[in-house]
Amino acid sequence: MSHAYAAPTHRAPAELDGLLLWPALGLLLLGLVMVYSSSIAMAEGSRFTGNQSAYFLFRHAVFLCIGLVAGVMAFQIPLRLWQQASPWLFVAGVVLLLLVLVPHVGRSVNGAQRWIGLGPINLQPSELMKLFAVLYAADYTTRKLDDMGSFVRGFFPMALVMVLVGVLLLREPDFGALVVILAIATGILFLGGINARVFAILVGVLALSFVVMIWVSDYRRQRIFGFMDPWQDAYGKGYQLSHALIAFGRGEWFGVGLGASVEKLFYLPEAHTDFLLAVIAEELGFVGVCIVVGLFALLVQRCFAIGRQSMVLGRVYSGLVAQGVGIWLGVQGFINMGVNMGLLPTKGLTLPLMSFGGSGIVANCLALGILLRVDWENRQMMRGQQV
């Protein structure tokens, strides 16, 4: 085994990127605090939770611990092994997306069949599929670098695979996950040098497809109308957004104080998942929201910086993986923040690293572990070149 891929034993802290590690840990820990704060009232008032105020805190903490352990384990695996396993992981993801649609296997919540019951926990395959899409798209693009200028050899095979994934996700339905996964795939293809004309056509086709899917679906169309003027039907299709905006308004500059949110008291639906940022805005104010946005911006910037460094070192797959993770966290974070602020139509996407959700937290931690591994291997290679 070469020096660049030696087992990372007896590592000095300086060998890890602090500008990546600390913002990520900061978001995870702040998310733990805010999940507890936003879910206390719901947990105390629900028979499902046994009226235990710390129900969601305990579950989130357990999944966070599992995710951190999984991230540490992912860090131990060289990127060349991730590349070898990426097609099989992607196939496993497709199988899970098929299983979730099987009656009595997939669990349905609020009309969406997105979970597989595994005893006391629910596995959400679409969250893992985001990570598998990053790994597979990076591997595909690396293998097809010489064919990126060809529509038939470079783009068409990936398009067929994404159509399959898209059909399965729309059957659940999980439109939000579909948007993120398509953003990951197209972004990595773009970074890999796909033909500019093909990419422009792809973006146009995707935009037209999204418009058609929204128009033919009554509930998606109602969400658009509710987004355009939430106050017109504040107790109906504009209910979630109107209360999110009220939460932002109440927070002002410095918030009403941690734990003092009123909107989380059964007014704002999904306060601990999709609308966690609204509770942060109400309790920690504009300053708290700016801190969260700043940490995400720094995290995404480090993803792309690490990816560029890998490219310079000739490690194309590692670079595309790092930048793919940046696209994933950036796009999903932007959509969730935009929904909370009323800049985008309401969509069921959680805030990465922060919102309640076991599968999402574990997938995010796995991605961070792989990202830190990319950075560690870069540093080992540069150290070897200096010697």
Side-chain angles (χ1 to χ4, degrees), residues 281-306:
E282 186 178 2
E283 296 190 349
L284 305 182
F286 178 75
V287 172
V289 173
C290 285
I291 290 173
V292 171
V293 173
L295 289 174
F296 268 106
L298 179 58
L299 195 61
V300 172
Q301 187 275 332
R302 293 311 303 159
C303 289
F304 280 89
I306 291 169

Short mmCIF file of all heavy atoms in Angstrom, two decimals, residues 281-306:
data_model
loop_
_atom_site.label_atom_id
_atom_site.label_comp_id
_atom_site.label_asym_id
_atom_site.label_seq_id
_atom_site.Cartn_x
_atom_site.Cartn_y
_atom_site.Cartn_z
N ALA A 281 -34.90 31.15 14.17
CA ALA A 281 -35.10 32.58 13.93
C ALA A 281 -35.88 33.23 15.07
O ALA A 281 -35.57 34.36 15.49
CB ALA A 281 -35.81 32.80 12.60
N GLU A 282 -36.90 32.53 15.58
CA GLU A 282 -37.71 33.10 16.65
C GLU A 282 -36.96 33.15 17.97
O GLU A 282 -37.04 34.15 18.70
CB GLU A 282 -39.00 32.29 16.81
CG GLU A 282 -39.98 32.91 17.81
CD GLU A 282 -41.27 32.13 17.92
OE1 GLU A 282 -41.39 31.07 17.26
OE2 GLU A 282 -42.15 32.57 18.68
N GLU A 283 -36.21 32.12 18.28
CA GLU A 283 -35.54 32.05 19.58
C GLU A 283 -34.18 32.72 19.60
O GLU A 283 -33.77 33.28 20.63
CB GLU A 283 -35.41 30.59 20.02
CG GLU A 283 -36.76 29.92 20.25
CD GLU A 283 -36.65 28.56 20.91
OE1 GLU A 283 -35.52 28.03 21.00
OE2 GLU A 283 -37.68 28.03 21.34
N LEU A 284 -33.43 32.66 18.48
CA LEU A 284 -32.08 33.23 18.43
C LEU A 284 -31.98 34.45 17.54
O LEU A 284 -30.92 35.08 17.46
CB LEU A 284 -31.09 32.17 17.98
CG LEU A 284 -31.06 30.86 18.79
CD1 LEU A 284 -29.99 29.92 18.25
CD2 LEU A 284 -30.83 31.14 20.27
N GLY A 285 -33.06 34.77 16.83
CA GLY A 285 -33.13 35.99 16.05
C GLY A 285 -32.32 35.97 14.77
O GLY A 285 -31.79 34.94 14.32
N PHE A 286 -32.21 37.16 14.16
CA PHE A 286 -31.48 37.33 12.92
C PHE A 286 -30.02 36.91 13.08
O PHE A 286 -29.43 36.31 12.17
CB PHE A 286 -31.56 38.80 12.48
CG PHE A 286 -30.81 39.12 11.23
CD1 PHE A 286 -31.29 38.75 9.99
CD2 PHE A 286 -29.60 39.80 11.29
CE1 PHE A 286 -30.59 39.04 8.83
CE2 PHE A 286 -28.89 40.10 10.15
CZ PHE A 286 -29.38 39.72 8.90
N VAL A 287 -29.45 37.23 14.24
CA VAL A 287 -28.06 36.86 14.50
C VAL A 287 -27.89 35.34 14.47
O VAL A 287 -26.94 34.82 13.87
CB VAL A 287 -27.59 37.42 15.86
CG1 VAL A 287 -26.21 36.89 16.21
CG2 VAL A 287 -27.57 38.95 15.82
N GLY A 288 -28.81 34.61 15.11
CA GLY A 288 -28.73 33.15 15.11
C GLY A 288 -28.84 32.57 13.72
O GLY A 288 -28.10 31.63 13.37
N VAL A 289 -29.74 33.11 12.90
CA VAL A 289 -29.89 32.63 11.52
C VAL A 289 -28.62 32.91 10.72
O VAL A 289 -28.16 32.06 9.95
CB VAL A 289 -31.11 33.29 10.84
CG1 VAL A 289 -31.17 32.94 9.36
CG2 VAL A 289 -32.40 32.85 11.52
N CYS A 290 -28.03 34.09 10.92
CA CYS A 290 -26.80 34.43 10.20
C CYS A 290 -25.66 33.48 10.58
O CYS A 290 -24.85 33.11 9.73
CB CYS A 290 -26.39 35.87 10.51
SG CYS A 290 -27.40 37.10 9.67
N ILE A 291 -25.60 33.09 11.86
CA ILE A 291 -24.57 32.14 12.28
C ILE A 291 -24.75 30.80 11.57
O ILE A 291 -23.79 30.21 11.08
CB ILE A 291 -24.61 31.96 13.81
CG1 ILE A 291 -24.12 33.24 14.51
CG2 ILE A 291 -23.75 30.77 14.25
CD1 ILE A 291 -24.27 33.21 16.01
N VAL A 292 -26.00 30.32 11.51
CA VAL A 292 -26.28 29.05 10.83
C VAL A 292 -25.92 29.14 9.35
O VAL A 292 -25.24 28.25 8.80
CB VAL A 292 -27.76 28.66 11.00
CG1 VAL A 292 -28.11 27.45 10.12
CG2 VAL A 292 -28.06 28.33 12.46
N VAL A 293 -26.35 30.22 8.69
CA VAL A 293 -26.06 30.39 7.26
C VAL A 293 -24.54 30.48 7.05
O VAL A 293 -23.99 29.88 6.11
CB VAL A 293 -26.76 31.65 6.72
CG1 VAL A 293 -26.31 31.94 5.28
CG2 VAL A 293 -28.27 31.48 6.76
N GLY A 294 -23.84 31.20 7.94
CA GLY A 294 -22.40 31.34 7.81
C GLY A 294 -21.67 30.01 7.96
O GLY A 294 -20.72 29.72 7.22
N LEU A 295 -22.11 29.19 8.91
CA LEU A 295 -21.48 27.88 9.11
C LEU A 295 -21.70 26.99 7.89
O LEU A 295 -20.79 26.27 7.46
CB LEU A 295 -22.04 27.21 10.36
CG LEU A 295 -21.62 27.84 11.70
CD1 LEU A 295 -22.35 27.16 12.86
CD2 LEU A 295 -20.11 27.72 11.90
N PHE A 296 -22.91 27.04 7.32
CA PHE A 296 -23.17 26.25 6.11
C PHE A 296 -22.33 26.75 4.95
O PHE A 296 -21.78 25.95 4.17
CB PHE A 296 -24.65 26.30 5.74
CG PHE A 296 -25.46 25.18 6.34
CD1 PHE A 296 -26.30 25.41 7.40
CD2 PHE A 296 -25.37 23.89 5.84
CE1 PHE A 296 -27.05 24.38 7.97
CE2 PHE A 296 -26.10 22.85 6.39
CZ PHE A 296 -26.94 23.10 7.46
N ALA A 297 -22.21 28.07 4.80
CA ALA A 297 -21.41 28.63 3.71
C ALA A 297 -19.95 28.22 3.84
O ALA A 297 -19.31 27.85 2.84
CB ALA A 297 -21.54 30.16 3.72
N LEU A 298 -19.42 28.25 5.06
CA LEU A 298 -18.04 27.84 5.28
C LEU A 298 -17.86 26.36 4.97
O LEU A 298 -16.86 25.95 4.36
CB LEU A 298 -17.64 28.14 6.73
CG LEU A 298 -16.21 27.75 7.15
CD1 LEU A 298 -15.18 28.44 6.27
CD2 LEU A 298 -15.98 28.09 8.62
N LEU A 299 -18.82 25.55 5.38
CA LEU A 299 -18.75 24.11 5.14
C LEU A 299 -18.74 23.80 3.65
O LEU A 299 -17.92 23.00 3.16
CB LEU A 299 -19.94 23.43 5.82
CG LEU A 299 -19.90 21.91 6.01
CD1 LEU A 299 -18.72 21.52 6.88
CD2 LEU A 299 -21.20 21.43 6.64
N VAL A 300 -19.63 24.44 2.90
CA VAL A 300 -19.69 24.20 1.45
C VAL A 300 -18.42 24.71 0.77
O VAL A 300 -17.88 24.05 -0.13
CB VAL A 300 -20.95 24.88 0.86
CG1 VAL A 300 -20.93 24.81 -0.67
CG2 VAL A 300 -22.22 24.23 1.39
N GLN A 301 -17.92 25.86 1.23
CA GLN A 301 -16.68 26.40 0.66
C GLN A 301 -15.51 25.43 0.86
O GLN A 301 -14.70 25.21 -0.05
CB GLN A 301 -16.36 27.75 1.30
CG GLN A 301 -15.18 28.48 0.67
CD GLN A 301 -13.84 28.07 1.23
OE1 GLN A 301 -13.74 27.67 2.39
NE2 GLN A 301 -12.78 28.16 0.42
N ARG A 302 -15.44 24.82 2.04
CA ARG A 302 -14.37 23.87 2.30
C ARG A 302 -14.52 22.61 1.44
O ARG A 302 -13.52 22.03 1.00
CB ARG A 302 -14.34 23.47 3.79
CG ARG A 302 -13.96 24.59 4.74
CD ARG A 302 -12.72 25.32 4.30
NE ARG A 302 -11.58 24.42 4.17
CZ ARG A 302 -10.51 24.69 3.43
NH1 ARG A 302 -10.45 25.82 2.73
NH2 ARG A 302 -9.51 23.83 3.37
N CYS A 303 -15.75 22.19 1.19
CA CYS A 303 -15.97 21.04 0.30
C CYS A 303 -15.37 21.28 -1.07
O CYS A 303 -14.65 20.43 -1.62
CB CYS A 303 -17.47 20.76 0.16
SG CYS A 303 -18.27 20.08 1.64
N PHE A 304 -15.63 22.46 -1.61
CA PHE A 304 -15.13 22.77 -2.96
C PHE A 304 -13.62 23.02 -2.95
O PHE A 304 -12.93 22.67 -3.91
CB PHE A 304 -15.89 23.95 -3.55
CG PHE A 304 -17.22 23.58 -4.11
CD1 PHE A 304 -18.36 23.57 -3.32
CD2 PHE A 304 -17.34 23.19 -5.44
CE1 PHE A 304 -19.59 23.20 -3.84
CE2 PHE A 304 -18.57 22.82 -5.97
CZ PHE A 304 -19.69 22.82 -5.16
N ALA A 305 -13.11 23.62 -1.86
CA ALA A 305 -11.67 23.85 -1.77
C ALA A 305 -10.92 22.52 -1.69
O ALA A 305 -9.89 22.33 -2.36
CB ALA A 305 -11.36 24.71 -0.55
N ILE A 306 -11.42 21.59 -0.89
CA ILE A 306 -10.80 20.26 -0.78
C ILE A 306 -10.89 19.54 -2.12
O ILE A 306 -9.95 18.86 -2.55
CB ILE A 306 -11.47 19.45 0.33
CG1 ILE A 306 -11.14 20.05 1.70
CG2 ILE A 306 -11.05 17.98 0.29
CD1 ILE A 306 -11.96 19.48 2.85
#
